[in-house]
Amino acid sequence: MPELPEVETVRRDLEKDVKGFTILASHDLHPRALKPESIAPLKSIIGAKIINVNRRGKFLWFELNRPQVLVAHLGMSGQFLILKNNEPSPKHVRAKFELSKNLRKKELVFNDQRTFGWVSVEETTDGIPSSAQHIAKDPFDPFFDRDETINKFAKRNIRIKTALLNQEIMSGVGNIYADETLWRAKVHPEVSTSDLSKKKIELIIDFATQVMQEAIAKSGTSFDGAYRKVNGESGSFEDSLAAYGRTDEPCPRCGTPIRRIVFGARSSHFCPRCQRKIK
Ligand SMILES: [Zn+2]
């Protein structure tokens, strides 16, 4: 499932590939492609020029030369792909955009096998689209407030893994980077946030930022093959994963086999020796 590093990779690719292009045609090709909350059909953005591509957490949006924006969430398996000349369409195209700039034309498709992803036309408040208003800032946001975020974690009395996945405390982290963050911080995923010192919470936020920064540098993790860059290539961070998906493999720090447990309908991978359940 795409998390911040994957969505940021897609954002950077799109910024390079479609900024300055005008939308000549747009089609939604699946009943679940357009979010029900969309204020207008996709064809309403025909004629708009793409000014920029922005992101908060795992939400992505195309800034247009008009008040509305085109928002996208990749869900479990959403992909933005630019089709090369005469390249056949991928199997699960949910929306399609024909773009042009001067005499250059491009076809951008939103491909999504599992159909948990969506696109929508939305208004913004303070530059943030309505569907992302409830999402907290991610650690790469220039206005990210570390102290405020530490306090938000500390005020809760929930498992740290659950807190890391809560996009209203801090956005961007999903299952893969939560497991990697807690492995780096040597914190058991089931420890309660109320049992962690503010210093430890700060360390966890720092490791989350660090691991996602490293993943962005490697274009993200294509662990289950669902995530692809805009040119169709995979990310390469999975080779650097220490805990996620490494069940029974030796911990890179101490050699103890990595364990997998399930809670909150999610699997968590951790080293039982480095990440003990003590305060
Ligand atoms: Zn270990």
Side-chain angles (χ1 to χ4, degrees):
M1 185 193 268
E3 303 178 31
L4 187 152
E6 292 74 39
V7 179
E8 174 61 14
T9 303
V10 170
R11 189 200 68 77
R12 290 180 183 186
D13 285 353
L14 288 172
E15 189 176 69
K16 219 165 44 208
D17 287 335
V18 305
K19 194 168 154 175
F21 276 71
T22 297
I23 301 167
L24 290 186
S26 57
H27 314 271
D28 49 314
L29 304 168
H30 187 277
R32 274 163 69 179
L34 191 70
K35 200 180 191 212
E37 290 80 12
S38 182
I39 57 165
L42 270 194
K43 65 176 194 295
S44 70
I45 56 166
I46 291 173
K49 188 172 162 184
I50 299 167
I51 302 297
N52 222 331
V53 188
N54 301 327
R55 181 190 57 74
R56 170 172 284 187
K58 306 175 202 170
F59 284 73
L60 194 68
W61 64 94
F62 299 77
E63 198 180 318
L64 307 172
N65 61 342
R66 50 178 75 178
Q68 297 79 26
V69 292
L70 172 67
V71 188
H73 197 290
L74 303 180
M76 307 273 287
S77 58
Q79 307 168 335
F80 274 109
L81 301 166
I82 289 177
L83 300 188
K84 295 175 194 83
N85 282 341
N86 304 319
E87 186 183 356
S89 263
K91 258 192 189 159
H92 307 284
V93 174
R94 307 309 185 195
K96 197 166 87 176
F97 305 90
E98 287 162 44
L99 310 173
S100 91
K101 184 181 178 180
N102 303 325
L103 291 171
R104 290 171 67 202
K105 290 199 171 171
K106 284 186 178 179
E107 190 173 38
L108 176 69
V109 298
F110 182 61
N111 191 58
D112 186 11
Q113 184 177 1
R114 309 215 24 208
T115 67
F116 288 101
W118 48 261
V119 292
S120 69
V121 180
E122 297 182 17
E123 307 272 6
T124 63
T125 309
D126 300 328
I128 305 296
S130 25
S131 61
Q133 285 288 334
H134 66 293
I135 297 298
K137 294 183 187 75
D138 62 65
F140 298 98
D141 193 305
F143 297 104
F144 179 72
D145 187 332
R146 279 165 67 93
D147 291 339
E148 187 197 350
T149 309
I150 293 167
N151 286 332
K152 274 159 69 183
F153 273 105
K155 267 197 293 194
R156 303 287 182 120
N157 183 16
I158 53 175
R159 292 177 178 120
I160 182 61
K161 171 77 183 272
T162 308
L164 275 172
L165 297 179
N166 185 328
Q167 304 296 302
E168 295 179 21
I169 300 176
M170 177 175 87
S171 67
V173 177
N175 217 28
I176 298 175
Y177 300 107
D179 283 1
E180 292 303 302
T181 296
L182 294 174
W183 179 84
R184 289 185 185 204
K186 299 185 184 174
V187 173
H188 192 284
E190 290 184 299
V191 167
S192 172
T193 47
S194 57
D195 287 336
L196 291 167
S197 66
K198 287 202 174 176
K199 219 174 145 83
K200 198 78 181 174
I201 293 172
E202 187 174 18
L203 189 76
I204 290 169
I205 294 171
D206 286 349
F207 277 127
T209 312
Q210 184 196 70
V211 70
M212 290 196 291
Q213 184 80 62
E214 290 173 19
I216 291 169
K218 293 197 170 179
S219 302
T221 303
S222 297
F223 192 82
D224 53 6
Y227 156 72
R228 287 280 179 268
K229 295 170 66 179
V230 173
N231 65 6
E233 289 173 6
S234 303
S236 63
F237 192 70
E238 54 263 40
D239 299 336
S240 311
L241 296 174
Y244 183 85
R246 299 282 192 227
T247 312
D248 295 333
E249 290 179 41
C251 165
R253 204 161 34 210
C254 75
T256 305
I258 296 290
R259 273 192 61 196
R260 174 180 175 272
I261 53 169
V262 178
F263 62 88
R266 300 288 208 116
S267 58
S268 289
H269 308 78
F270 67 100
C271 170
R273 185 164 173 205
C274 297
Q275 297 165 262
R276 300 220 179 149
K277 232 175 173 175
I278 43 168
K279 290 172 199 174

